[in-house]
Amino acid sequence: MNQEPRRQLPSSATLATRGVNVGEDASLAERPLVLIVDDDLEVRMALAELLESVGIDAATFGSTRDWLESGAVDRPGCLILDVRMPGSSGLDLQHHLARSGDPKPIIFLTGHGDIPMTVQAMKAGAVDFLTKPVRDQTLLDAVAAGIERDLAQRANAHAVRRHLDLLAALTPRERQVLAEVARGRLNKQIAFDLGISQITVKLHRSNVMRKMRASSVGELIRAWEAIPQDLRERRP
């Protein structure tokens, strides 16, 4: 890695403006953790030192297998992966995480990259694909973007879980009414389709609003649409 003057490195305050909480008052579970997977010990140590110089925790591993078997605690952050390593490559790990439903943001850092490899990694959702030697500032900017993406993904996943918990409290009929409301159907249309009175539809709508903790129809529709379609369609 190319060393640069410390004044060019982003401070904790700068990172915080991008959604990265690196303050000392943050709980351990909330502090970003960057996972570095590279078979070159010197590269691992240099990367860890750089990250820790701006207040970001780092954990290093010599192979993808070492990380997968480590049982590392799940914290906000991202992965810095070398592409070519003994055993499973960084791209192999990216595919494994995609299949397992783990959207952990990945930054590829390699001395052996090529255009097809870069395109493959970026299409699969990589944050960036950097070639060694890389400027410190460039790497730190990529890390900040990766952590920010992970925080956003975690916030979205938390919101989806909350909506699903609330949805579980609805009766089958209330879920039917909710789905029709989300489609923009009027009470009289819903009543006709479901073979019930408009008064009953209004009662169900009121119950849905209360149980879903929505203060407006717009908020109710946004909550419904935030839930993945396959989960919306799943029968209670």
Side-chain angles (χ1 to χ4, degrees), residues 36-167:
I36 303 165
V37 184
D38 196 303
D39 62 328
D40 189 321
L41 176 60
E42 292 186 4
V43 170
R44 295 199 303 272
M45 294 301 99
L47 291 173
E49 181 181 357
L50 173 63
L51 292 170
E52 289 167 0
S53 74
V54 294
I56 299 178
D57 296 343
T60 64
F61 305 89
S63 69
T64 58
R65 183 173 183 175
D66 287 347
W67 174 57
L68 291 172
E69 295 179 350
S70 69
V73 177
D74 183 31
R75 287 165 56 183
C78 62
L79 279 162
I80 298 178
L81 295 182
D82 191 8
V83 173
R84 291 194 174 98
M85 293 179 285
S88 297
S89 69
L91 292 173
D92 290 335
L93 179 57
Q94 184 185 38
H95 297 156
H96 170 78
L97 294 177
R99 288 194 301 269
S100 63
D102 186 345
K104 179 72 73 176
I106 296 174
I107 299 164
F108 283 105
L109 179 62
T110 179
H112 308 283
D114 54 37
I115 292 177
M117 189 182 296
T118 303
V119 171
Q120 178 184 350
M122 298 303 289
K123 281 187 174 181
V127 174
D128 213 333
F129 196 103
L130 306 175
T131 303
K132 302 172 185 175
V134 62
R135 295 175 62 247
D136 290 347
Q137 186 70 55
T138 300
L139 180 67
L140 288 170
D141 286 345
V143 167
I147 295 173
E148 187 174 3
R149 180 188 292 185
D150 194 39
L151 290 170
Q153 290 174 168
R154 286 167 178 267
N156 181 67
H158 176 76
V160 169
R161 288 194 298 271
R162 177 178 177 274
H163 295 325
L164 284 173
D165 288 342
L166 297 176
L167 188 66

